[in-house]
Amino acid sequence: MSGQSRFADLEPLLPRVSKPLQYVGGELNSQVKDWNCGGSETVRWALMYPDAYEVGLPNQGVMILYEVLNEQPHALAERTYAVWPDLEQLMRSNGVPLLTVDGHRAVKEFDVFGLSFPTELNYTNMLSALDLAGIPLRAAERGEDDPIVLIGGHASFNPEPIADFVDAVVVGDGEEAVLAISEIIREWKAEGLQGSDCGRHEVLRRLACTGAVYVPAFYDVAYTEAGMLEAVTPKPGIEGVPWQVSKHTVMDLDAWPYPKQPLVPLAESVHERMSVEIFRGCTRGCRFCQAGMITRPVRERSITGIGEMVERGLQATGYEEVGLLSLSSADHSEIADITKGLADRYEGTQTGLSLPSTRVDAFNIDLANELSRNGRKSGLTFAPEGGSERLRKVINKQVSEQDLVDTVAAAFGAGWRNVKLYFMCGLPTETDEDVLGIADLAKRVIATGREVSGRKDIRCTVSIGGFVPKPHTPFQWAGQLSAADTDRRLTLLRDEIRSDRRYGSSIGFRYHDGEPGIVEGLLSRGDRRVGDVIEAVWRDGGRFDGWSEHFSYERWMRCAQEVFTAMNTEHGWDIDVDWYTTRERDELETLPWDHIDSGLDKAWLWEDWQASLDEDEQPDCRWDPCFDCGVCPQMDLDIEIGPTGKKLLPLTVLGSGREAMLEKS
Ligand code: SF4
């Protein structure tokens, strides 16, 4: 019978693998619904975060969709994560397919296999999952009984590199979208079309016709003789398939207070805290930041909505730390009242508050003191991103060196001893001098800290990531810095920091080498041809490419060369990894994601790219006039952000009275 637990097949394998607890399920607030909870119309989702359990379980996106779907009487959702190679091997040799961690049901028996991709480096894990599940890798080879393979997450804003492996793509916010998709599938099942001839084609057609689900199989891809992408266009003869697919945007976050019952991991995970998303979107306009661009417009959760979510979540989980999440949390229009209100409420309860990282210009000591009032003074993290004033203008960071020095002076004066600074290497127009400027900045931070505090134990940790140009940003046309040049610049910087006796030992230096960034660049800005490279890498053993111990640059480059050489020979093209990564694009070039509508006007993105080359800055449209990026008129709205003027009341009444208090606030 379908939907049966296969735990009895899995259990004997677990003592032979590392971290077996991650495959067991049964976490606090997890659920296993009746397989037929909605009768014959039940829509069953297997949701996957295609990385290890410890990274995947805290993911808010999957947690939210899991809960939203399971609240529906006609739907059920279960989770699965990437299986480490030790268990994968044992499952294959023992004939055990990919299972969910909740009901240990076979993923292949679900109606939808939904994967959320925050990063492209998880693509090979998707192929492992499909193969282990017994689902054909390529959408074109799937039969009527196979699940619909559907992806979402930030990487889906350019789904072309994995277009041949997926049936459907959702772009943007998922909460409302999964319910709309469930309803289409429920109706399709109610009409008896599942398993019928062309049933699969029909449900995909219905999804595509919404205009908000991309079905790659319904689009033709054309290349010029020289191998440039010419166009991605709807196939003739399939009525209603749109030329451009629009992103979903949830406008009222207070109407979606999820997760209400956050999952608490059984096994070790990267975040042992509860998270509440306090707003979505960002209009700061940092030109490198894909997340900021594609999640516009800014939508704030109200102070009372946040208070309610924190209280309900703490009760449901028992956590003692609350992370107030967003792309730039200190920018919430009521952040001071939120942090003060929460610190008052939980005074003396050991409940700590944290913000992921703080903009230099949004930081103030009152905010930092509220955050640390019920906990300890942990390190502060700021992200100047660029090492010189000039480069920060290019990327539109709008933070001066003096801003940073003033901010850290305030922090050191208030008792902090440790500051982390985050930068990128390889930004457009960057020179060696810009990168060496990071060392000067770090030394000035230490000198300021010593002076203000009168102490010697001041530390500054410099953390550097390689810049990867991303789709739907002004830098989508930029050439990426090669891995060798990135490594050379970082070595120069490391030597510069270490050679200074007065400051070197007070500055920590963490960096990633340039090679994974080139693979990420290939997968981020690639077109449909890159899919063959991903499959070749996976067949060669590629797995868990986001983990340095599993990542093999040599394998990626070898497979890419084999695939592209064969294509070039057959078609007379001249494409290779450099063509996709280090090459700067022209204004008129068709980009692989042009048919995915993020709401941003391509002409505005180009203007902003040109402005960056002129070192022109663009202000934040929350406080300055609109500069016509295109998002708001398309959604027919004017940006309206708090403050609401409300305050959080203290929670002194226990039990049901506490609920009443929450209502009133
Ligand atoms: S349309 Fe104007 S107000 Fe809206 S996000 Fe873009 S720049 Fe800001």
Side-chain angles (χ1 to χ4, degrees):
M1 192 188 86
S2 289
Q4 269 187 334
S5 168
R6 300 282 303 269
F7 190 65
D9 299 328
L10 181 72
E11 195 178 15
L13 311 181
L14 296 182
R16 298 157 65 188
V17 303
S18 62
K19 300 186 181 173
L21 213 52
Q22 65 186 305
Y23 306 112
V24 172
E27 299 91 341
L28 183 62
N29 298 325
S30 63
Q31 327 186 26
V32 180
K33 284 179 80 172
D34 186 319
W35 188 247
N36 292 311
C37 58
S40 60
E41 297 168 23
T42 310
V43 181
R44 306 172 182 108
W45 290 70
L47 299 174
M48 179 176 203
Y49 187 90
D51 204 336
Y53 175 92
E54 63 207 76
V55 185
L57 186 126
N59 180 264
Q60 289 285 293
V62 171
M63 232 188 259
I64 291 170
L65 301 186
Y66 177 72
E67 204 174 319
V68 164
L69 285 164
N70 276 325
E71 277 183 359
Q72 301 299 311
H74 282 99
L76 70 88
E78 299 197 7
R79 296 159 300 132
T80 188
Y81 304 96
V83 173
W84 284 106
D86 58 352
L87 183 61
E88 183 189 336
Q89 220 170 28
L90 282 174
M91 289 171 82
R92 286 181 186 282
S93 56
N94 287 272
V96 182
L98 182 67
L99 306 176
T100 58
V101 296
D102 294 301
H104 297 100
R105 291 156 164 160
V107 166
K108 188 177 161 63
E109 292 178 356
F110 286 73
D111 299 307
V112 186
F113 183 24
L115 299 101
S116 175
F117 285 103
T119 157
E120 297 81 2
L121 288 173
N122 292 337
Y123 286 164
T124 48
N125 283 356
M126 173 175 72
L127 299 193
S128 295
L130 288 170
D131 193 58
L132 189 58
I135 301 167
L137 291 190
R138 303 246 166 192
E141 290 158 12
R142 286 180 199 136
E144 294 297 336
D145 292 337
D146 286 310
I148 295 160
V149 178
L150 180 142
I151 65 156
H154 288 183
S156 68
F157 278 76
N158 175 23
E160 287 307 294
I162 49 170
D164 286 336
F165 309 118
V166 303
D167 297 303
V169 180
V170 176
V171 185
D173 299 331
E175 299 91 326
E176 285 172 332
V178 291
L179 295 187
I181 291 168
S182 282
E183 190 50 26
I184 288 172
I185 296 173
R186 192 190 64 75
E187 277 175 14
W188 167 77
K189 288 180 94 165
E191 290 169 35
L193 293 171
Q194 187 177 37
S196 68
D197 277 358
C198 298
R200 190 175 184 83
H201 180 277
E202 176 57 15
V203 73
L204 291 173
R205 190 192 66 75
R206 291 183 187 188
L207 291 171
C209 287
T210 62
V213 178
Y214 174 50
V215 177
F218 292 167
Y219 291 76
D220 283 325
V221 183
Y223 305 98
T224 66
E225 271 187 24
M228 305 294 289
L229 178 65
E230 193 165 32
V232 180
T233 47
K235 283 190 167 142
I238 311 173
E239 211 177 308
V241 175
W243 285 77
Q244 268 205 320
V245 179
S246 308
K247 79 166 175 183
H248 288 263
T249 303
V250 168
M251 292 310 301
D252 180 5
L253 289 195
D254 280 329
W256 296 89
Y258 295 91
K260 295 174 182 168
Q261 305 278 318
L263 292 160
V264 181
L266 279 180
E268 183 188 331
S269 90
V270 289
H271 296 307
E272 310 265 334
R273 64 167 178 246
M274 199 193 91
S275 297
V276 172
E277 186 186 29
I278 63 173
F279 70 87
R280 213 172 270 183
C282 182
T283 45
R284 287 281 189 170
C286 301
R287 293 174 172 130
F288 55 83
C289 181
Q290 186 192 40
M293 291 288 166
I294 62 178
T295 58
R296 289 177 178 205
V298 171
R299 293 144 287 153
E300 288 190 347
R301 206 182 286 285
S302 69
I303 181 170
T304 44
I306 292 166
E308 217 166 301
M309 282 185 73
V310 169
E311 176 60 9
R312 191 189 287 138
L314 288 174
Q315 288 193 9
T317 61
Y319 277 132
E320 290 188 337
E321 191 185 339
V322 181
L324 301 176
L325 291 192
S326 74
L327 291 171
S328 178
S329 295
D331 280 340
H332 191 292
S333 62
E334 293 179 293
I335 191 66
D337 284 332
I338 292 167
T339 48
K340 180 170 184 322
L342 292 174
D344 284 348
R345 272 190 178 181
Y346 300 108
E347 179 105 51
T349 63
Q350 300 295 316
T351 303
L353 296 173
S354 64
L355 302 187
S357 92
T358 317
R359 277 189 64 93
V360 172
D361 47 353
F363 173 88
N364 65 59
I365 282 301
D366 292 342
L367 174 61
N369 282 334
E370 293 302 352
L371 289 172
S372 62
R373 189 171 359 142
N374 296 332
R376 60 202 162 83
K377 271 189 165 55
S378 54
L380 291 170
T381 304
F382 300 106
E385 317 281 2
S388 71
E389 218 79 289
R390 187 197 70 78
L391 197 56
R392 286 193 293 275
K393 283 189 179 150
V394 170
I395 63 178
N396 204 39
K397 193 67 197 179
Q398 298 186 53
V399 167
S400 70
E401 182 165 335
Q402 198 54 48
D403 290 335
L404 179 66
V405 169
D406 292 347
T407 298
V408 295
F412 289 131
W416 270 268
R417 299 277 167 266
N418 190 0
V419 165
K420 287 188 202 140
L421 300 179
Y422 182 80
F423 296 91
M424 281 186 285
C425 178
L427 289 161
T429 79
E430 181 186 276
T431 63
D432 290 358
E433 285 66 42
D434 292 318
V435 174
L436 290 173
I438 295 172
D440 297 337
L441 212 50
K443 288 177 202 171
R444 222 181 136 190
V445 164
I446 298 287
T448 305
R450 287 178 185 167
E451 191 186 320
V452 171
S453 68
R455 301 174 61 118
K456 285 265 176 258
D457 61 344
I458 297 297
R459 276 197 67 76
C460 171
T461 304
V462 169
S463 188
I464 307 193
F467 168 64
V468 179
K470 293 278 178 160
H472 304 279
T473 68
F475 289 166
Q476 64 183 354
W477 290 278
Q480 189 176 349
L481 191 67
S482 71
D485 281 334
T486 301
D487 293 345
R488 188 186 57 76
R489 276 196 190 144
L490 291 174
T491 306
L492 281 180
L493 176 59
R494 189 196 55 199
D495 293 347
E496 174 71 16
I497 290 173
R498 293 215 175 131
S499 65
D500 193 313
R501 288 224 183 129
R502 283 169 308 156
Y503 299 108
S505 60
S506 300
I507 301 173
F509 187 53
R510 293 205 193 121
Y511 66 98
H512 299 287
D513 62 34
E515 292 180 342
I518 288 294
V519 173
E520 192 184 335
L522 171 71
L523 301 177
S524 300
R525 293 195 294 172
D527 53 36
R528 222 173 263 203
R529 294 172 288 193
V530 172
D532 285 358
V533 179
I534 300 170
E535 184 171 344
V537 166
W538 174 76
R539 290 200 182 281
D540 197 67
R543 307 280 190 281
F544 288 93
D545 287 298
W547 296 70
S548 54
E549 60 270 45
H550 292 274
F551 175 78
S552 165
Y553 188 63
E554 182 279 325
R555 175 190 281 140
W556 274 97
M557 292 305 110
R558 176 168 42 80
C559 291
Q561 194 182 5
E562 282 166 18
V563 167
F564 292 141
T565 302
M567 284 181 187
N568 291 341
T569 306
E570 187 182 345
H571 300 284
W573 298 335
D574 189 18
I575 58 171
D576 57 15
V577 173
D578 283 347
W579 188 84
Y580 283 105
T581 56
T582 57
R583 180 179 64 92
E584 186 171 326
R585 277 73 166 160
D586 292 333
E587 181 180 7
L588 296 180
E589 181 169 336
T590 301
L591 301 172
W593 50 92
D594 278 351
H595 57 297
I596 304 294
D597 184 6
S598 62
L600 296 157
D601 186 354
K602 193 176 176 188
W604 175 79
L605 286 171
W606 178 264
E607 274 168 31
D608 205 41
W609 167 225
Q610 298 308 300
S612 86
L613 297 175
D614 292 337
E615 299 166 21
D616 273 352
E617 293 172 292
Q618 188 86 263
D620 187 329
C621 59
R622 255 174 300 193
W623 301 293
D624 282 276
C626 166
F627 45 82
D628 290 329
C629 77
V631 170
C632 296
Q634 198 191 55
M635 291 175 190
D636 200 18
L637 57 93
D638 285 328
I639 287 242
E640 259 184 54
I641 309 292
T644 61
K646 294 188 180 169
K647 301 278 181 245
L648 289 180
L649 298 180
L651 292 174
T652 49
V653 189
L654 296 175
S656 56
R658 172 174 274 216
E659 289 291 316
M661 182 69 87
L662 276 171
E663 294 278 303
K664 260 203 279 174
S665 72

